[in-house]
Amino acid sequence: MNHRQRMASTIAATISAAALTLGAASTAFASDTPSPAERTAAVIEKATGTTDIAPAPAPGTTIPQRSTGDAKATTTTGDAVSIALPGTNNVTGTKAGKNTTVYPGAAKATDLAVQPTADGGIRALAVLKDATAPREQRYNIGLPNGARLVKLDNGAVAAIAKNGTFLGGFTTPWAKDATGKPVPTSYRIDGNTLVQTVQIADSTAFPVVADPKWLDDAAKGVTTGMIGGCAAGALAGGAGCIPGAVASGVIGGIGGAIGGLFS
């Protein structure tokens, strides 16, 4: 090999080595870049914390593979309840973070997610990414025949069977902005649809995280206020926080739930 050939060979080898180095660096950089699902999971888990995220759903609880599917849980009577996510796009869920299934872009300027919780419940979450996101999230709830949703005075929503039995419910709603500041939020009931409204202000920092959490354990329902807020009035013979139209049917169920805690 003459001098010119050796020079050409050396240059080619140097270029090849540099290309390999750059390629490896690009691959490493790409692998370090979080995916949209990972970024959303980080935002959510900053708001929810991770200590009560279960490694797997409780028996009878399922997380949908796609945003157009239903999250499913059980009631205290063993019946099924379904929670339809408020997505408008059919998005495949991706597990990220500690165990948060994220549906990126499932609605306008909104990511949706579901978490199984350590207390046997299930948490649906909406992440409002900017000021163009809808202020209302509508969750269609599938309940046993004759059951209804009842809003309580602490903002929680109980599911009550036709015979007045407490089936479970959604704990008092909350929402947080990107700085961790609470954002005013509330539920209203439209038939068997749970509607969560988030009140955005000019000072609100996006993204905003909001969650309806289903819990079917009567004991935990008391401690979280889903039925505890009604207990005093109900056990005393009054309507408590239950609207009068359904109070007579519900009091027996609440009394049974409370009594069962001390039996």
Side-chain angles (χ1 to χ4, degrees):
M1 181 182 294
N2 60 34
H3 178 71
R4 182 173 295 177
Q5 289 174 324
R6 284 197 298 271
M7 286 288 293
S9 178
T10 300
I11 292 171
T14 301
I15 292 173
S16 178
L20 288 172
T21 300
L22 289 171
S26 298
T27 300
F29 179 77
S31 65
D32 290 340
T33 302
S35 67
E38 290 170 334
R39 289 195 296 269
T40 296
V43 169
I44 289 170
E45 292 178 0
K46 177 183 176 182
T48 64
T50 59
T51 56
D52 72 336
I53 300 176
T61 300
T62 59
I63 293 173
Q65 293 183 341
R66 304 187 69 84
S67 58
T68 51
D70 294 346
K72 295 182 180 179
T74 57
T75 69
T76 55
T77 57
D79 295 307
V81 60
S82 62
I83 305 167
L85 302 179
T88 55
N89 302 319
N90 189 9
V91 178
T92 300
T94 300
K95 284 188 180 181
K98 292 297 182 181
N99 194 14
T100 299
T101 298
V102 181
Y103 311 89
K108 179 183 177 183
T110 304
D111 293 344
L112 301 176
V114 178
Q115 292 175 339
T117 57
D119 53 16
I122 189 167
R123 178 186 287 131
L125 299 121
V127 181
L128 314 185
K129 295 191 285 188
D130 58 46
T132 66
R135 302 296 195 269
E136 283 191 352
Q137 304 294 330
R138 298 177 64 87
Y139 297 86
N140 294 324
I141 311 302
L143 295 171
N145 288 338
R148 71 187 78 186
L149 297 175
V150 178
K151 186 174 179 180
L152 310 182
D153 62 357
N154 64 354
V157 169
I160 306 299
K162 185 176 181 179
N163 65 359
T165 300
F166 171 78
L167 299 175
F170 296 91
T171 58
T172 303
W174 61 262
K176 295 179 183 178
D177 74 3
T179 67
K181 180 181 177 181
V183 178
T185 185
S186 61
Y187 291 144
R188 64 182 174 84
I189 298 168
D190 182 5
N192 275 359
T193 298
L194 181 75
V195 185
Q196 183 170 15
T197 300
V198 178
Q199 298 178 28
I200 302 299
D202 291 341
S203 59
T204 301
F206 289 92
V208 172
V209 179
D211 94 317
K213 178 183 175 182
W214 170 267
L215 197 59
D216 65 4
D217 189 310
K220 296 184 179 69
V222 173
T223 61
T224 58
M226 279 196 293
I227 53 180
C230 305
L235 295 179
C241 62
I242 299 291
V246 298
S248 60
V250 173
I251 289 173
I254 292 176
I258 300 295
L261 299 179
F262 300 99
S263 61

